[in-house]
C-alpha cells in the first residue's frame, strides 16, 4: 500500500497506478468475486428482461405510467449488470489494465449512468404513487403517458450527463487535484458531488414513500369502515396500497444493498482507507447487483398484473411444449396405421 501511495504521488494519472486499485490479493478472493458477479449478473439480466417482456407484451400494462417507470428501472438494472460485471471482473479478477484513461472513465460513466437511472426511476415511481394516492381524482390528468415518457427522457439525459463529467474533464488528471482512493482518475470533489446527488434522491424517495404509507394506512382504515359502499373505488385503493407496499420493499432492499457502498465512499473522502476496507468495498459492490436481481422477484410476487401476465406466458409455453411432445407421437401413429393398411 505504501508503494502504491508513493507511485500515486509521483504519477497519479499513469496507467501503472491502476494496479494499486486491484485490491484482491488471493486467488480465492478473485474466484469468489467472479462467482458472485456471474451469478448475480446472469440472474439480473434474465429476470429484468422477463419483466420488460411482460410489461411491453401486454397492451393493458404498458399503457400505465406506473409500469413505464418500472420498465425504466428494469432496463437500467440490465445495463448496470452487463456493464458492471464486464468491467469489474475484467479489472479485479483478470487484472487487465491495457486500456486508456478515457476508456476506463467511459466504463465508469456507463455504470454510474445505469445505477443512477435505476435510483431515479425509483424516484419517479415514488412520485407516481404519491400523486395517485394524494390526488386520486386528478391522477389521470396529471400523470399521462406523454408526461411519463418526457420525465423518463429527462431522467436518462440528466443521469448520463452527470456520469460523463469525469470523461469530459472533471477528473484529477485534468484538474491536478486530489484523486479518489476507490476509483482511478476520479476527483474527490466529483465523488462528493455524486454522493450529494444520490443522497438527495434517496431523501426524496423516502419522503414520498413515507407520505404514501401514511395515506395507505388511511385508505385501509377507510375501506374497513365503508367496504360495502366503495365498489370500484375500493378495488382501486387496494391496488394503490398493494403497489405502494411493493415499492417500499424495493426501496428497503435498495437501502440495505447500497448503504455499505455509500458509507465507504463517504469515509474515503475524509480519511485514508486500509487495504482491508478497500477489499470490503470491492465485495460490497456486488450487493448492488443483488439489489438489481431482487427487484424483479418483488414485482412478480407483489404485482397482481405482472404475476397474471407471467402465468399466461408460462401457460402458453407449456401448451407449446405439450404440442411439440405430442406431435411426433401423432406422426408415428399415422405412419403405423398407413403400414397396416
Amino acid at each position: 500500500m505504501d508503494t502504491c501511495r508513493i507511485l500515486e504521488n509521483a504519477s497519479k494519472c499513469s496507467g501503472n497506478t491502476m494496479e494499486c486499485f486491484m485490491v484482491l490479493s488471493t486467488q480465492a478472493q478473485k474466484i469468489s468475486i467472479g462467482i458472485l458477479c456471474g451469478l448475480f449478473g446472469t440472474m439480473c439480466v434474465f429476470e429484468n428482461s422477463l419483466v420488460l417482456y411482460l410489461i411491453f407484451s401486454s397492451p393493458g400494462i404498458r399503457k400505465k405510467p406506473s409500469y413505464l417507470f418500472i420498465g425504466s428501472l428494469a432496463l437500467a438494472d440490465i445495463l448496470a449488470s452487463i456493464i458492471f460485471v464486464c468491467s469489474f471482473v475484467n479489472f479485479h479478477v483478470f487484472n487487465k489494465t491495457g486500456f486508456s484513461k478515457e476508456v476506463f472513465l467511459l466504463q465508469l460513466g456507463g455504470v454510474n449512468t445505469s445505477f443512477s437511472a435505476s435510483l431515479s426511476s425509483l424516484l419517479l415511481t415514488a412520485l407516481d404513487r404519491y400523486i395517485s394516492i394524494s390526488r386520486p381524482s386528478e391522477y389521470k390528468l396529471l400523470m399521462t403517458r406523454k408526461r411519463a415518457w418526457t420525465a423518463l427522457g429527462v431522467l436518462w439525459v440528466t443521469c448520463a450527463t452527470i456520469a460523463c463529467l469525469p470523461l469530459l474533464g472533471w477528473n484529477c488528471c485534468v484538474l491536478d487535484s486530489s484523486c479518489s482512493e476507490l476509483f482511478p482518475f476520479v476527483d474527490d470533489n466529483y465523488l462528493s458531488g455524486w454522493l450529494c446527488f444520490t443522497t438527495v434522491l434517496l431523501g426524496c424517495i423516502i419522503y414520498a414513500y413515507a407520505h404514501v404509507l401514511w395515506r395507505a394506512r388511511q385508505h385501509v382504515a377507510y375501506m374497513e369502515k365503508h367496504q360495502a359502499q366503495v365498489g370500484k373505488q375500493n378495488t382501486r385503493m387496494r391496488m394503490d396500497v398493494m403497489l405502494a407496499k411493493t415499492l417500499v420493499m424495493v426501496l428497503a432492499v435498495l437501502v440495505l444493498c447500497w448503504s455499505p457502498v455509500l458509507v465507504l465512499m463517504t469515509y474515503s473522502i475524509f480519511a485514508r482507507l486500509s487495504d482491508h476496507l478497500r477489499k470490503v468495498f470491492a465485495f460490497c459492490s456486488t450487493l448492488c447487483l443483488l439489489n438489481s436481481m431482487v427487484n424483479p422477484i418483488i414485482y412478480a410476487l407483489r404485482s397482481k398484473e405482472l404475476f397474471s401476465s407471467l402465468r399466461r406466458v408460462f401457460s402458453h409455453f407449456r401448451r407449446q411444449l405439450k404440442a411439440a411432445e405430442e406431435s411426433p407421437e401423432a406422426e408415428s401413429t399415422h405412419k403405423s396405421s398407413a403400414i397396416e393398411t
Side-chain angles (χ1 to χ4, degrees), residues 8-9 15 17 34 38 76 80 85 107 119 124 127-128 150 186 195 199 220-221 224 229 236 260 294 303 312 316:
E8 288 173 2
N9 293 331
T17 59
V85 169
Q107 293 176 351
L119 186 60
L124 288 183
L127 294 176
D128 174 75
T150 302
V186 173
L195 287 171
T199 303
V220 171
E224 290 175 351
Q229 305 173 8
R236 173 61 185 276
V294 170
S303 173
R312 287 195 299 269
H316 179 70

Side-chain angles (χ1 to χ4, degrees), residues 192-206:
S192 301
W194 186 85
L195 287 171
C196 290
F197 171 70
T198 304
T199 303
V200 170
L201 286 179
L202 284 173
C204 292
I205 294 173
I206 292 172

Side-chain angles (χ1 to χ4, degrees), residues 76-146:
D77 285 339
I78 290 174
L79 294 177
S81 300
I82 295 174
I83 302 173
F84 177 84
V85 169
C86 292
S87 59
F88 194 80
V89 171
N90 194 42
F91 185 80
H92 283 288
V93 177
F94 297 110
N95 298 140
K96 292 186 178 180
T97 58
F99 44 82
S100 63
K101 175 192 70 175
E102 289 74 17
V103 172
F104 178 83
L105 291 177
L106 181 62
Q107 293 176 351
L108 184 63
V111 174
N112 195 351
T113 298
S114 303
F115 281 126
S116 298
S118 177
L119 186 60
S120 300
S121 297
L122 275 178
L123 175 59
L124 288 183
T125 311
L127 294 176
D128 174 75
R129 290 299 89 200
Y130 179 89
I131 296 173
S132 175
I133 287 185
S134 62
R135 305 172 71 175
S137 60
E138 304 174 28
Y139 173 76
K140 289 187 177 180
L141 295 176
L142 294 174
M143 190 58 67
T144 62
R145 293 185 74 248
K146 182 178 180 181

Side-chain angles (χ1 to χ4, degrees), residues 31-312:
I31 293 175
S32 299
I33 284 288
I35 292 175
L36 289 175
C37 288
L39 177 62
F40 293 163
T42 302
M43 292 298 297
C44 178
V45 171
F46 171 75
E47 293 171 0
N48 284 285
S49 298
L50 181 59
V51 169
L52 283 178
Y53 174 77
L54 294 177
I55 291 175
F56 290 100
S57 64
S58 176
I61 294 179
R62 69 168 178 261
K63 290 180 181 179
K64 298 181 179 180
S66 301
Y67 289 102
L68 290 179
F69 299 146
I70 292 176
S72 173
L73 176 63
L75 176 62
D77 285 339
I78 290 174
L79 294 177
S81 300
I82 295 174
I83 302 173
F84 177 84
V85 169
C86 292
S87 59
F88 194 80
V89 171
N90 194 42
F91 185 80
H92 283 288
V93 177
F94 297 110
N95 298 140
K96 292 186 178 180
T97 58
F99 44 82
S100 63
K101 175 192 70 175
E102 289 74 17
V103 172
F104 178 83
L105 291 177
L106 181 62
Q107 293 176 351
L108 184 63
V111 174
N112 195 351
T113 298
S114 303
F115 281 126
S116 298
S118 177
L119 186 60
S120 300
S121 297
L122 275 178
L123 175 59
L124 288 183
T125 311
L127 294 176
D128 174 75
R129 290 299 89 200
Y130 179 89
I131 296 173
S132 175
I133 287 185
S134 62
R135 305 172 71 175
S137 60
E138 304 174 28
Y139 173 76
K140 289 187 177 180
L141 295 176
L142 294 174
M143 190 58 67
T144 62
R145 293 185 74 248
K146 182 178 180 181
R147 290 181 177 179
W149 281 112
T150 302
L152 289 175
V154 172
L155 177 158
W156 281 89
V157 170
T158 302
C159 292
T161 301
I162 294 175
C164 289
L165 288 177
L167 183 62
L168 297 175
W170 192 354
N171 57 72
C172 58
C173 302
V174 174
L175 301 178
D176 193 23
S177 56
S178 176
C179 292
S180 169
E181 288 189 74
L182 296 173
F183 306 101
F185 316 126
V186 173
D187 179 58
D188 266 339
N189 292 327
Y190 170 80
L191 184 59
S192 301
W194 186 85
L195 287 171
C196 290
F197 171 70
T198 304
T199 303
V200 170
L201 286 179
L202 284 173
C204 292
I205 294 173
I206 292 172
Y207 173 80
Y209 279 128
H211 184 83
V212 165
L213 286 179
W214 176 65
R215 292 302 295 266
R217 287 192 62 184
Q218 288 185 327
H219 283 186
V220 171
Y222 178 82
M223 287 185 291
E224 290 175 351
K225 292 181 180 180
H226 306 85
Q227 191 165 4
Q229 305 173 8
V230 182
K232 291 184 179 180
Q233 188 179 3
N234 188 359
T235 304
R236 173 61 185 276
M237 287 182 177
R238 288 189 182 276
M239 289 176 61
D240 286 342
V241 171
M242 176 66 74
L243 190 51
K245 290 181 179 179
T246 298
L247 298 174
V248 167
M249 291 176 62
V250 173
L251 177 62
V253 172
L254 177 81
V255 172
L256 289 174
C257 291
W258 275 85
S259 293
V261 172
L262 295 177
V263 168
L264 287 173
M265 284 184 185
T266 304
Y267 182 76
S268 71
I269 296 174
F270 300 100
R272 277 281 184 180
L273 293 178
S274 63
D275 288 346
H276 175 70
L277 285 179
R278 283 150 62 98
K279 291 178 182 178
V280 170
F281 178 79
F283 278 91
C284 287
S285 298
T286 61
L287 290 177
C288 303
L289 282 177
L290 178 62
N291 167 62
S292 298
M293 185 186 74
V294 170
N295 284 345
I297 298 176
I298 298 176
Y299 303 150
L301 292 177
R302 301 287 299 179
S303 173
K304 290 184 178 180
E305 292 176 297
L306 282 181
F307 187 71
S308 298
S309 181
L310 181 62
R311 290 180 61 184
R312 287 195 299 269

